[in-house]
Amino acid sequence: MKSGIFAAGCFWGVQYQFQRQAGVLNTTVGYTGGPEQNPTYPEVKAHQTHHVEAIKVDYSKSTTLHRLMASVLTLVRNIGARFSISTRNRKPLQKR
């Protein structure tokens, strides 16, 4: 199993798109990128922390990260969301 963390705006819609992809084993939503401990959803949404909403995707070894990203990027673009990969302050995903 491999894992990747993605920040792409609202994590609920992105999680739904990843869950629909072949090879995705599990998804976990949370926050990443900030130094604050245990941020809450209202704090992150109000930009009171340095965190962004993110999703951790566990996928099979036979699935390439590039294929997953390309598939989800296309779907997310089609619904008008902005897709980005957060590499800032690489820290473990803090579960919601």
Side-chain angles (χ1 to χ4, degrees), residues 43-91:
E43 290 171 339
V44 174
K45 289 301 287 180
H47 305 287
Q48 295 173 343
T49 74
H50 294 91
H51 291 83
V52 294
E53 293 181 51
I55 179 171
K56 178 183 175 201
V57 179
D58 298 324
Y59 56 98
S60 66
K61 289 181 180 180
S62 62
T63 303
T64 66
L65 185 60
H66 182 268
R67 188 193 64 75
L68 278 178
M69 287 173 36
S71 297
V72 172
L73 173 59
T74 300
L75 292 168
V76 170
R77 273 193 186 155
N78 288 340
I79 60 172
R82 189 178 78 198
F83 188 89
S84 66
I85 300 173
S86 177
T87 57
R88 175 183 65 144
N89 301 326
R90 287 189 182 257
K91 294 181 180 167

Side-chain angles (χ1 to χ4, degrees), residues 12-46:
W12 300 118
V14 177
Q15 180 184 39
Y16 174 75
Q17 297 301 334
F18 270 110
Q19 287 174 331
R20 297 177 56 203
Q21 300 302 308
V24 171
L25 306 173
N26 186 51
T27 60
T28 306
V29 297
Y31 312 105
T32 190
E36 298 85 3
Q37 293 294 313
N38 302 313
T40 65
Y41 184 76
E43 290 171 339
V44 174
K45 289 301 287 180

